[in-house]
Amino acid sequence: MPTKKKPQVTPSPERRRELLDTAAEVFAAQGYNATTVRRIADEAGMLAGSLYYHFDSKESMIDEILSTFLTELWEGYDAVLAADLGPRETIEALVTESFREIDRHRAAVAIYQKESKHLATRPRFAYLVDSQQKFEKAWLGTLERGVTAEVFRADLDIRLTYRFVRDTVWVAASWYRPGGQHSPEEIARQYLSMVLDGIALDT
């Protein structure tokens, strides 16, 4: 009599998401190289062997974490860039969208900041280089457009300004916690006020 095969159970998308969220927190706290599959499994309350049922390696996990974050980031950024806004309004919308992504993917942002340069040397993560180049082009292009339109100062150092705004915004992932006192939109408003209008009163 033939033996009945056990039915294959497909992990639910919700469970997969939970595991990736756990892995992201561990990667963000410990770094990719120092993180083991066993540590992720321990944090998820399961055996390391069971985690391999969902993912074939920790590289697969960090790949999915980063690609999911960047896909969502570019959905928001591309919508902003296609909206035909003025230069200042584009900067405002990009900063706001950035804080929304920090709110949704804080750990992934921290991982990206710490690990992307190293991971980008591997063929599997070539999309990190492509994304960085696209990101830089979007921001520099908007700043240059603002100078040309005389919305931003003519003496503005475009690349220095880009680096300042980029680092000022994304470093927030190191302290931001979802559900805090201020919404992502309110934090973006405060940042934009300081970046675009300064903090000193006109005299």
Side-chain angles (χ1 to χ4, degrees):
M1 186 174 179
T3 305
K4 285 186 177 180
K5 290 184 178 179
K6 291 184 179 180
Q8 291 292 319
V9 180
T10 303
S12 71
E14 293 78 12
R15 180 55 175 159
R16 187 180 183 85
R17 183 73 258 160
E18 288 173 3
L19 293 173
L20 284 173
D21 287 345
T22 299
E25 292 294 340
V26 178
F27 285 135
Q30 294 199 331
Y32 177 70
N33 287 335
T35 297
T36 63
V37 171
R38 180 179 293 279
R39 177 58 189 273
I40 296 170
D42 287 345
E43 290 295 322
M46 63 196 304
L47 298 173
S50 299
L51 191 59
Y52 282 115
Y53 176 63
H54 301 270
F55 305 98
D56 60 14
S57 65
K58 71 174 187 176
E59 185 178 72
S60 293
M61 283 184 271
I62 202 167
D63 183 9
E64 190 164 338
I65 289 164
L66 291 174
S67 62
T68 298
F69 155 60
L70 289 174
T71 295
E72 189 170 310
L73 174 72
W74 280 108
E75 285 174 358
Y77 268 29
D78 285 340
V80 169
L81 296 170
D84 198 26
L85 302 172
R88 179 179 175 124
E89 291 75 19
T90 299
I91 292 293
E92 291 172 342
L94 289 174
V95 168
T96 301
E97 190 59 39
S98 298
F99 276 107
R100 287 173 179 155
E101 288 307 310
I102 292 171
D103 181 63
R104 297 183 189 114
H105 299 288
R106 185 200 60 79
V109 173
I111 294 167
Y112 181 87
Q113 291 175 324
K114 293 177 185 177
E115 309 289 352
S116 61
K117 189 173 183 180
H118 167 68
L119 291 172
T121 61
R122 307 182 187 187
R124 180 173 188 164
F125 295 93
Y127 63 86
L128 295 175
V129 177
D130 295 338
S131 180
Q132 176 58 36
Q133 292 173 344
K134 185 179 176 184
F135 186 91
E136 185 172 302
K137 182 179 179 182
W139 281 87
L140 290 176
T142 303
L143 290 167
E144 288 169 356
R145 188 160 57 93
V147 171
T148 300
E150 298 184 349
V151 174
F152 302 142
R153 296 196 331 248
D155 65 339
L156 206 63
D157 184 314
I158 298 297
R159 189 162 290 275
L160 184 61
T161 304
Y162 156 68
R163 288 172 176 165
F164 171 74
V165 176
R166 177 197 65 191
D167 295 348
T168 300
V169 170
W170 291 104
V171 76
S174 66
W175 56 260
Y176 180 83
R177 293 296 179 271
Q181 182 179 356
H182 300 295
S183 68
E185 292 78 12
E186 173 59 19
I187 295 174
R189 189 187 69 78
Q190 293 278 357
Y191 266 58
L192 285 162
S193 175
M194 289 183 280
V195 168
L196 296 174
D197 302 320
I199 62 174
L201 292 171
D202 291 333
T203 57

